[in-house]
Amino acid sequence: MTDVTTARPAAARTTALPEVWSLRALDGPVPAGIAGQTVPAAVPGLVHVALLDAGLILDPYLDRNETTVTWIGQSAWEYATRFDYAPDGHDRHDLVFDGLDTFAEVVLNGRSLGRTRNQHRTYRFSVDDALRDGENELVVTFASPVAEADRASLEIGYRPHTYFHPFNAIRKAACNFGWDWGLDAASSGIWKPARLEAWSGARLAATRPVVSVDGSDGVVAVHVDIERADDADYSVSISLADGSEARIELAAGASTGVAELRVADVALWWPRGFGEQPLYDLAVSLERDGDVLAERTHRIGFRTIDVQLDRDEEGTSFRFVVNGEPVWIRGANWIPDDAFVTRVTRERLSHRLDQAEFANMNLLRIWGGGYYESDDFYDLCDERGILVWQDFLFACASYAEEEPLWSEVEAEARDNITRIMPHPSLALWNGNNENVWGYEEWGWAKRLQGRTWGLGYYLDLLPRLVAELDPSRSYTPASPWSGDADIFANDPEHGSVHLWEHWNRVDYPTYRDVHARFVAEFGWQGPATWSTITRAISDSPLTPESPGMFHHQKAMDGNDKLTDGLVAHLPLPDDTEDWHWAMSLNQALAVTVGIEHMRSESPRCMGSVVWQLNDCWPVTSWAAVDGYGHAKPLLYALKHVYADRLLTIQPRGGGLAAIAVNDAPAGWTGPLLARRLSFDGTVLAEALLATDIDARGARTFALPEAVATPADAASELIVVESEGVRGFWFFAEHRDSALARAELTTSARRVATGYEVTVEAGNLVRDLALLVDKVDPDAVVDDMLVTLLPGESVTFRVRSEEDADPERFCAPDVLRTSNQLVADWN
Ligand code: BMA
C-alpha cells in the first residue's frame, strides 16, 4: 500500500490498493487447463488481459482465436487482494471504485459491501463496519456478462438491438459484445482505479465549473457539493491561476454552494485552426478552521460553444459556433481504441490524436456504443483544441425505460457529466447513436409491441441532467437528429444525418445527390494495412476470403459490398496484394468524393464527421487508422480533403464548377488557373479566374465550357490550382480511363530520420502512394495519394528506424499507383 497524499491530521487521505491482484475463474465453461488456476491480474485491468499476460489464452486478435475465448464472457471471475490498514484517526473510510465491469459483488473481510450492475458508474462503499486493523482481504466477484445480459433481456423484456447479444438490457459498453468492426469478447474486471479514502467531517463530493464569457470577461461559476459526516461549519476556497479567488461558506446543514470568479480580458480558448488553447488551473479546497481537508484541481478554458439547430428556408441548420464564430467541422467518429480498453494508455491516445491532427481534424465524436472516454482523452483534446462530441452510451438499439435501467442511466449520467464537464474541448452532449432513426425506419416499432424504447432518456432525463449539471453545454437527443421529433430523424435537410446507403447499397458518386446540413456519419470500408494483416492473419494462401481474412471482416456482406463498391471504379484484382491496394485506394477515393462534395456545399453544410478514425483490433473496417495504429491511405486522403484550403471540381447547373473552400483565418486572393489537359500533358483549354475568397468562406466558379467539356473523356482531365492548392477532375472512372503504365524515375536514400524517396513521373501518374509499412511496420510517410502530371516529381519523407535497403521503397509492391491497377487491365 502506498500513501498517495501526505497526511495532516484532518486532511483526507487516499491510499491506493495493490496494483496486482489474484484472479481465478469461479464457474462457467472454463477449460480444464485454466480451471482452478490463479493468475496475477493488474488493477485497473480486465480478465482477458490478465489471461493473455499469463500465457493462458491465445491472442484473440490473431487468426480466428476470437472463437477460442468466448468462454471468458460466459464465466464468473474472482479478483482478490490483501492490504494492510492501520488506524489513521479518521472517522470515515470508503472503498472507491472508479469502474467495475460489470456485475460485481464487493466483499471486504467476508462482509458484502454491495453489488453493482453498471460499468459506467463510480462506486463508493462505506467500509467502517468491515475494515480491520492489520491485514484486510478484499474480494470482488464478477458474474458472467453474457449470461447477465441474457437474463436481463428476459426480465426487462425483449427490445430490438443490432448484432449478437442483448447489450441493451444492461449498462456495459455495447461494442464489447461485438460489432460490425468489433471483437465479440465481453470481459470483466476492475477496469478503472480503486482506492481507500479516509476522511473526517466532510469531503469534496463534486466540483463543477460552469464557464461563460461576458464581454471580455471570463466567468466561472464553481458549484461545490460536499458529503458531510458532521454538522460543523466548512468553507471552500477557490482560486484561479490568474490570482482571482472566491469562498463558499457552508454552515451546518449546508452541503452545496456556488461561487463566481471573473477574469478580466480573458484569453479565450479556441478550437485548433482558430487560435490558442489557454488553460487556467482552478483549485478548490475544502477547509475547516483553516485546515485543508481536501483539494481538487481542474484545468478550464473560457469559451462559448453552441450547436445551433435553427429552422431556415432550407430546413434546419446544424452548426457549431465557438466564441461567436461558426466552425466548419472536419471530424471523425471515435470508437474504443482497443477491444480491451484498459490497454489504452495516455501515450497511445496522444499518438492517435496526433494522427487526427495530421489529418487536419478539429472534432472527434465519441460514439455511443463505446465508453465515456478517459480523463486523459479530454485533457489531450483540451490541449490540442480538438472539439469533442460525446454521445451518451446508447447505440443501435431500443432501451427499456423501466427500473432498474432508469436509475442506472441517471446515476451513470450524473457521474459522467460531472466528470467530463470541466473540459473546454467538450462541445456537445448527444443522447444516442441511431436509436430514434432505428425506431422510425428499422422496424423496431412493430417488434416492440408498445414497450418503451428509450425516448424518455433522450427527450426527458438526459436533457434535464445536462441542464442541471452542465447548463452551458449544448445537447441533442440523437444522432442523426432533425431538430424536431415530428421530422424524420435522418432527413438530410434537417440537422445531422448518417449516410449509409451509399456504402451499403448504392455507390459513392451519389454522395453528391445529398444536400445535407451536417453529416455525422458516413464511411467506406478498406482493409487494414498490409503489415497489420500479415501480423494478425497467418492464412496460406492469404486471400480476400481465406478463413482468417473472412473472420476479420465483421460487416454483414462486407466483402460483397467492398467488391460492389469497387468494380464501377477500379478493376477487381485477383492478386491479394493488388486487391489490398485497390480496396485501400477505393476507400480513400470514396471518402474524398463525399467530403469534397460536403465542403463544396459550405455554409449550407457545416460539417463532416467521417466514420471512423480508429479501430479496436486488426479488422477490415471503415477506419483511417488500423487496429495496430497504422495509418491507412484514407488518413492521407483526409489530410488532403480536410486541409484549410480546398479546391474541388463539382457538377453544377449542368456543367462543372471549381469551388474554392477557404477554412483558413486569412483571405485567399491569388488567381485560379483552370486547365483541361490531355493525359500526355498537352493543354487543351485554360482559363484564369480571379479569386477573392474571404477567410472561412467559399466561392464557386463556373468553369468555361472549353475547360469543362472533354474531347476524349478517357484521356483528359481538368486541373485547377491557386497558391499551391490543386484540384483534379477526371472525366472517366479510373477503370474506363486511358491511364498507362506509370513511367517512374525513382531514387531513395537513407537520411538521419529514415529515408527520402523521390519519384519523377514521365507520364500521368495517379494516386502515388508509398505503403511503407511493408518495409517497416513502424515506418510513417509524410504524404500519400499524390497525382503527378507528366514531368512532375515528389519527394516523400519516411520516418523509420529500420535499417532497410532504400531501394525497397521503390519496389512495385510498396510504391503504388492506380496506374498499376488500370493499365494492364485495359
Ligand atoms: C454506423 C455506426 C456503427 C457502425 C457503422 C458501420 O451506424 O453507428 O453502428 O459500426 O455504422 O456500419
Side-chain angles (χ1 to χ4, degrees):
M1 265 207 344
T2 26
D3 280 351
V4 171
T5 53
T6 18
R8 292 177 54 196
R13 179 190 170 104
T14 295
T15 313
L17 296 173
E19 288 172 4
V20 180
W21 297 36
S22 59
L23 173 70
R24 66 187 176 107
L26 290 181
D27 61 45
V30 185
I34 299 177
Q37 285 213 46
T38 295
V39 298
V43 171
L46 291 169
V47 169
H48 285 78
V49 180
L51 296 176
L52 202 53
D53 289 347
L56 290 179
I57 56 169
L58 298 171
D59 183 349
Y61 287 9
L62 305 182
D63 293 319
R64 289 184 291 169
N65 293 345
E66 178 187 8
T67 58
T68 67
V69 298
T70 47
W71 62 272
I72 297 174
Q74 297 164 352
S75 301
W77 296 90
E78 179 197 88
Y79 277 76
T81 193
R82 290 171 193 280
F83 65 90
D84 289 329
Y85 167 75
D88 51 20
H90 279 297
D91 41 49
R92 295 285 291 263
H93 296 84
D94 298 337
L95 264 179
V96 182
F97 293 90
D98 286 342
L100 293 167
D101 178 10
T102 289
F103 292 89
E105 181 175 17
V106 181
V107 178
L108 181 62
N109 299 322
R111 186 188 291 240
S112 175
L113 302 176
R115 290 175 185 271
T116 75
R117 52 183 310 133
N118 189 338
Q119 170 173 27
H120 309 300
R121 287 178 61 182
T122 291
Y123 291 96
R124 174 178 289 272
F125 301 102
S126 171
V127 293
D128 289 303
D129 294 341
L131 197 63
R132 280 191 202 135
D133 297 358
E135 191 177 72
N136 286 261
E137 187 193 38
L138 178 59
V139 176
V140 183
T141 55
F142 292 91
S144 151
V146 171
E148 289 299 319
D150 284 338
R151 192 167 295 126
S153 75
L154 297 180
E155 278 167 12
I156 203 151
Y158 168 76
R159 299 291 192 291
H161 61 85
T162 44
Y163 311 119
F164 329 107
H165 300 271
F167 60 81
N168 51 338
I170 62 169
R171 298 307 297 158
K172 172 171 166 65
C175 67
N176 200 211
F177 290 99
W179 213 258
D180 60 358
W181 36 258
L183 199 72
D184 180 359
S187 204
S188 294
I190 303 171
W191 76 292
K192 288 191 166 192
R195 61 195 166 274
L196 181 67
E197 286 186 13
W199 53 283
S200 296
R203 68 174 190 89
L204 273 178
T207 51
R208 289 180 298 106
V210 177
V211 166
S212 57
V213 177
D214 178 16
S216 59
D217 288 0
V219 180
V220 55
V222 184
H223 297 251
V224 176
D225 299 336
I226 63 167
E227 182 184 352
R228 287 174 163 277
D230 65 20
D231 272 339
D233 292 343
Y234 292 94
S235 63
V236 177
S237 76
I238 301 165
S239 61
L240 202 59
D242 78 323
S244 47
E245 289 183 353
R247 268 186 111 67
I248 302 172
E249 301 299 338
L250 294 170
S255 300
T256 69
V258 57
E260 194 177 279
L261 285 80
R262 215 163 244 277
V263 185
D265 292 321
V266 73
L268 294 178
W269 184 97
W270 289 96
R272 59 190 301 275
F274 279 75
E276 302 289 305
Q277 291 79 42
L279 297 168
Y280 290 76
D281 286 331
L282 175 77
V284 180
S285 66
L286 175 64
E287 295 164 13
R288 183 182 57 205
D289 303 331
D291 282 335
V292 174
L293 305 184
E295 289 176 297
R296 192 174 288 184
T297 57
H298 298 288
R299 276 190 323 171
I300 61 169
F302 292 93
R303 83 284 169 280
T304 60
I305 301 185
D306 294 314
V307 180
Q308 298 175 341
L309 283 83
D310 297 325
R311 287 304 283 267
D312 55 28
E313 56 293 347
E314 295 176 304
T316 306
S317 70
F318 195 100
R319 191 187 307 116
F320 284 76
V321 178
V322 182
N323 300 326
E325 293 228 23
V327 177
W328 211 95
I329 295 302
R330 296 172 257 171
N333 283 277
W334 173 270
I335 65 165
D337 205 58
D338 197 305
F340 305 116
V341 71
T342 56
R343 299 198 290 201
V344 182
T345 60
R346 186 179 177 105
E347 188 189 3
R348 179 153 148 191
L349 288 172
S350 180
H351 179 52
R352 206 64 70 242
L353 297 181
D354 286 344
Q355 290 170 316
E357 288 198 46
F358 173 82
N360 292 310
M361 293 175 181
N362 59 14
L363 176 140
L364 293 172
R365 169 181 175 232
I366 303 175
W367 166 77
Y371 303 90
Y372 303 101
E373 266 298 339
S374 64
D375 296 339
D376 286 337
F377 184 96
Y378 305 103
D379 275 347
L380 293 166
C381 289
D382 291 346
E383 291 169 7
R384 292 156 180 260
I386 297 175
L387 297 171
V388 178
W389 159 335
Q390 175 71 56
D391 281 1
F392 285 99
L393 303 186
F394 301 89
C396 301
S398 43
Y399 288 80
E401 293 168 41
E402 287 74 25
E403 294 295 352
L405 276 184
W406 185 272
S407 299
E408 288 297 342
V409 169
E410 171 159 1
E412 153 196 336
R414 285 184 178 281
D415 278 358
N416 286 287
I417 296 170
T418 301
R419 177 171 70 88
I420 301 167
M421 64 78 74
H423 292 277
S425 56
L426 179 66
L428 176 67
W429 289 106
N430 174 57
N432 71 74
N433 176 73
E434 297 186 343
N435 296 354
V436 176
W437 179 25
Y439 179 81
E440 291 174 343
E441 204 168 60
W442 300 349
W444 295 352
K446 180 178 168 191
R447 284 179 239 155
L448 280 161
Q449 303 178 88
R451 287 177 172 163
T452 57
W453 55 279
L455 196 63
Y457 297 128
Y458 319 135
L459 294 185
D460 170 23
L461 179 65
L462 296 172
R464 263 196 288 123
L465 295 176
V466 171
E468 176 193 329
L469 299 169
D470 190 10
S472 68
R473 205 86 49 168
S474 291
Y475 172 84
T476 46
S479 186
W481 179 244
S482 63
D484 184 334
D486 291 330
I487 299 175
F488 175 49
N490 206 33
D491 183 334
E493 320 234 304
H494 295 276
S496 59
V497 70
H498 291 193
L499 301 180
W500 283 111
E501 277 303 287
H502 312 264
W503 153 255
N504 281 319
R505 272 167 285 276
V506 195
D507 197 357
Y508 56 78
T510 56
Y511 285 130
R512 296 196 187 103
D513 299 339
V514 182
H515 306 289
R517 307 305 302 269
F518 188 101
V519 182
E521 278 187 19
F522 77 106
W524 208 267
Q525 271 204 351
T529 60
W530 188 255
S531 61
T532 292
I533 290 176
T534 50
R535 175 173 157 199
I537 301 169
S538 61
D539 294 351
S540 177
L542 178 73
T543 85
E545 53 189 2
S546 55
M549 280 293 275
F550 200 66
H551 188 82
H552 289 243
Q553 163 61 281
K554 296 292 190 182
M556 203 198 297
D557 302 326
N559 272 13
D560 288 342
K561 290 177 185 176
L562 278 173
T563 306
D564 289 345
L566 182 86
V567 292
H569 310 284
L570 288 158
L572 180 69
D574 281 322
D575 171 85
T576 303
E577 282 195 60
D578 287 343
W579 175 91
H580 172 261
W581 163 234
M583 289 301 178
S584 304
L585 172 64
N586 201 47
Q587 177 187 32
L589 295 173
V591 172
T592 297
V593 167
I595 296 178
E596 286 198 11
H597 164 68
M598 292 164 206
R599 288 190 73 186
S600 82
E601 297 206 323
S602 167
R604 176 199 163 92
C605 178
M606 281 304 291
S608 139
V609 187
V610 66
W611 186 269
Q612 70 218 62
L613 177 66
N614 57 337
D615 260 335
C616 63
W617 74 303
V619 67
T620 298
S621 86
W622 301 262
V625 174
D626 75 23
Y628 287 145
H630 300 142
K632 293 156 72 166
L634 173 59
L635 193 76
Y636 295 83
L638 289 168
K639 170 190 169 68
H640 297 159
V641 84
Y642 276 161
D644 278 358
R645 287 178 168 192
L646 174 75
L647 268 181
T648 177
I649 299 174
Q650 299 288 328
R652 287 288 189 274
L656 291 174
I659 295 134
V661 184
N662 183 22
D663 264 309
W668 184 352
T669 51
L672 188 151
L673 177 66
R675 291 181 294 164
R676 179 161 58 88
L677 302 178
S678 151
F679 279 9
D680 66 11
T682 312
V683 179
L684 302 171
E686 65 182 338
L688 197 60
L689 308 165
T691 57
D692 186 8
I693 305 151
D694 292 342
R696 309 199 196 281
R699 231 179 117 176
T700 301
F701 304 89
L703 289 177
E705 224 178 293
V707 174
T709 315
D712 174 17
S715 65
E716 295 175 20
L717 74 154
I718 302 175
V719 184
V720 288
E721 47 204 319
S722 175
E723 297 189 346
V725 183
R726 245 186 195 182
F728 295 98
W729 178 265
F730 287 84
F731 295 100
E733 292 292 345
H734 285 75
R735 58 174 285 152
D736 303 321
S737 74
L739 218 49
R741 276 190 183 205
E743 294 163 16
L744 304 176
T745 311
T746 59
S747 67
R749 63 189 186 103
R750 191 93 173 83
V751 294
T753 50
Y755 301 85
E756 263 181 23
V757 183
T758 298
V759 183
E760 197 188 315
N763 59 352
L764 177 71
V765 176
R766 284 190 79 175
D767 310 311
L768 191 60
L770 275 191
L771 304 185
V772 293
D773 69 296
K774 289 187 175 182
V775 183
D776 165 16
D778 294 325
V780 177
V781 64
D782 65 341
D783 203 1
M784 210 186 265
L785 302 177
V786 177
T787 289
L788 297 178
L789 300 177
E792 293 182 339
S793 67
V794 61
T795 298
F796 297 103
R797 288 176 181 81
V798 182
R799 257 193 298 118
S800 167
E801 286 170 15
E802 182 106 344
D803 196 13
D805 174 2
E807 285 308 312
R808 253 315 265 136
F809 291 98
C810 306
D813 62 323
V814 176
L815 180 60
R816 286 287 186 171
T817 61
S818 53
N819 303 54
Q820 285 174 325
L821 299 169
V822 175
D824 293 331
W825 181 79
N826 270 326

